């Protein structure tokens, strides 16, 4: 995997990252002497929300005086994780559920956001020397959405309702699922077991995550679809978010992740980022996602403007 990441990075000309895309100046985040000139590479995964979160880190640490390099938009959770473990990325936002289930190999989620954070924080530090810090209130959990007309016609409001529809009228429950959701144990396979879905009856199309929203909204090929709960296309397309009434999906609160040696060498990084994480609610990140995915704005611009609006930085 390290070789694959290296090839991908090299192919994009980003061996050590590229420059931060927009300049910012100090706001409430003032220059920090301990971070002056410190070279920090920031990473993210390759979807809208992750790019926004990556840019928030970049602008914050730039205002604090660090020499920040941009290595956002890495393809897939495992590739970002590997880049961090091997020192190609110093810091990124990741999700507590992903850490607990995918990176640490646990099968059962921990019930509350705080308990899930503590569990992954303690285990990942002990097993891999990775530090989790500054958890945000935003919970980007997996979810299923329904075409609004289908949900109303079939009276589908919960995942139990969906499971019953699959088992009794599979055609009416045609579902689009993203590639990762289709195979992850915190995705469709685990959900099917939890809710007693007869997988032999499921009429399922595996598509790119970005296609799920419009295909479900159109309601022709797919009446239901797998999504991330904080995606701005859910309210924009009037999709019906189904209630996880058996509490299957883990909590996916965003938190900073970095190697222990980096965190210990630069403790001021967490201090700079904590006030930003505290403001990242589901409502806030959903709106920022919407500005990119529906209005077509650049993720870096959306992240910078929000940082300016909150007074953390100034536009330079």
């Amino acid at each position: 995997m390290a070789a694959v990441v290296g090839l991908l990075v090299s192919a994009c000309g980003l061996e050590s990252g590229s420059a931060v895309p927009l300049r910012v100046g100090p706001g409430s985040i003032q220059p920090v002497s301990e971070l002056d000139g410190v070279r920090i590479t920031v990473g993210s995964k390759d979807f809208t929300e992750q790019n926004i979160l990556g840019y928030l880190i970049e602008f914050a640490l730039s205002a604090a005086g660090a020499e920040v390099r941009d290595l956002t938009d890495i393809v897939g959770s495992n590739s970002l994780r590997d880049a961090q473990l091997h020192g190609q990325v110093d810091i990124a936002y990741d999700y507590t559920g992903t850490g607990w289930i995918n990176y640490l190999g646990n099968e059962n989620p921990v019930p509350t956001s705080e308990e899930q954070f503590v569990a992954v924080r303690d285990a990942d530090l002990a097993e891999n020397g990775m530090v989790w810090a500054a958890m945000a209130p935003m919970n980007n959990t997996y979810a299923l959405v329904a075409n609004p007309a289908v949900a109303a016609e079939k009276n589908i409001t919960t995942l139990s309702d969906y499971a019953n529809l699959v088992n009794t009228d599979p055609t009416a429950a045609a579902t689009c699922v993203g590639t990762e959701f289709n195979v992850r144990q915190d995705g469709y396979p685990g959900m099917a077991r939890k809710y007693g879905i007869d997988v032999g009856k499921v009429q399922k199309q595996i598509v790119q995550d970005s296609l799920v929203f419009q295909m479900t909204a159109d309601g022709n090929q797919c009446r239901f679809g797998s999504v991330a709960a904080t995606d701005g296309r859910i309210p924009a397309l009037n999709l019906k978010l189904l209630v996880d009434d058996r509490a299957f999906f883990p909590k996916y609160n965003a938190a900073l992740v970095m190697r222990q040696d980096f965190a210990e060498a630069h403790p001021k990084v967490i201090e700079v980022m904590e006030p930003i994480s505290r403001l990242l609610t589901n409502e806030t990140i959903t709106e920022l996602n919407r500005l990119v995915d529906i209005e077509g704005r650049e993720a870096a611009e959306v992240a910078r403007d929000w940082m300016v609006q909150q007074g953390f930085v100034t536009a330079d």
Side-chain angles (χ1 to χ4, degrees):
M1 181 62 73
V4 172
V5 172
L7 287 172
L8 289 172
V9 171
S10 178
C12 296
L14 300 176
E15 288 88 346
S16 58
S18 58
V20 177
L22 298 171
R23 293 174 59 87
V24 296
S28 61
I29 298 173
Q30 289 289 304
V32 177
S33 59
E34 293 92 332
L35 295 178
D36 184 30
V38 173
R39 191 179 181 90
I40 300 175
T41 301
V42 178
S44 81
K45 305 173 195 181
D46 60 333
F47 57 91
T48 294
E49 180 171 292
Q50 272 282 297
N51 286 323
I52 291 171
L53 293 174
Y55 290 134
L56 294 181
I57 301 173
E58 293 182 6
F59 296 137
L61 297 184
S62 294
E67 182 184 336
V68 178
R69 306 298 291 173
D70 174 14
L71 202 54
T72 52
D73 211 36
I74 294 172
V75 178
S77 297
N78 290 335
S79 295
L80 174 61
R81 171 69 168 190
D82 196 75
Q84 288 203 268
L85 290 172
H86 289 84
Q88 295 162 301
V89 167
D90 295 312
I91 185 170
Y93 272 108
D94 212 327
Y95 303 103
T96 55
T98 301
W100 185 246
I101 303 293
N102 289 78
Y103 303 156
L104 295 170
N106 297 287
E107 293 187 3
N108 298 314
V110 180
T112 70
S113 290
E114 184 61 34
E115 290 171 332
Q116 181 70 91
F117 170 73
V118 170
V120 73
R121 179 198 66 189
D122 293 351
D124 209 13
L125 180 61
E127 295 179 25
N128 302 300
M130 298 296 286
V131 171
W132 292 68
M135 183 184 77
M138 59 171 282
N139 175 22
N140 186 17
T141 186
Y142 273 133
L144 231 61
V145 291
N147 175 282
V150 173
E153 177 189 349
K154 301 293 185 180
N155 194 28
I156 307 296
T157 60
T158 68
L159 288 179
S160 289
D161 295 334
Y162 165 79
N164 183 62
L165 187 64
V166 170
N167 293 338
T168 58
D169 189 3
T171 302
T175 305
C176 279
V177 298
T179 51
E180 279 201 38
F181 185 82
N182 184 57
V183 297
R184 284 170 56 143
Q185 290 310 304
D186 53 346
Y188 206 95
M191 183 188 74
R193 288 194 299 272
K194 181 75 171 183
Y195 282 92
I197 294 171
D198 185 345
V199 294
K201 292 183 176 180
V202 178
Q203 294 194 12
K204 184 170 58 174
Q205 288 197 55
I206 304 167
V207 300
Q208 294 180 4
D209 290 309
S210 60
L211 300 178
V212 170
F213 299 88
Q214 192 61 57
M215 290 177 73
T216 305
D218 291 343
N220 297 320
Q221 296 172 286
C222 301
R223 278 83 180 284
F224 300 87
S226 65
V227 299
T230 54
D231 198 293
R233 288 167 288 191
I234 298 171
L237 294 172
N238 197 31
L239 298 172
K240 175 70 174 178
L241 197 64
L242 301 185
V243 176
D244 181 13
D245 52 309
R246 296 189 182 179
F248 164 70
F249 291 117
K251 306 299 182 184
Y252 286 86
N253 292 82
L256 297 175
V257 184
M258 62 205 89
R259 298 182 313 281
Q260 185 176 11
D261 60 345
F262 176 85
E264 290 177 349
H266 309 295
K268 291 292 184 179
V269 166
I270 296 175
E271 290 185 29
V272 169
M273 292 302 304
E274 280 179 333
I276 297 169
S277 287
R278 283 197 294 268
L279 296 184
L280 295 176
T281 63
N282 275 17
E283 293 74 19
T284 294
I285 198 65
T286 299
E287 172 60 14
L288 298 182
N289 289 336
R290 187 192 67 81
L291 291 173
V292 176
D293 290 327
I294 299 299
E295 296 195 6
R297 294 179 59 190
E298 293 292 331
E301 179 187 78
V302 167
R304 191 272 312 270
D305 289 354
W306 182 80
M307 293 281 284
V308 171
Q309 291 165 9
Q310 302 304 315
F312 291 121
V313 303
T314 54
D316 193 355

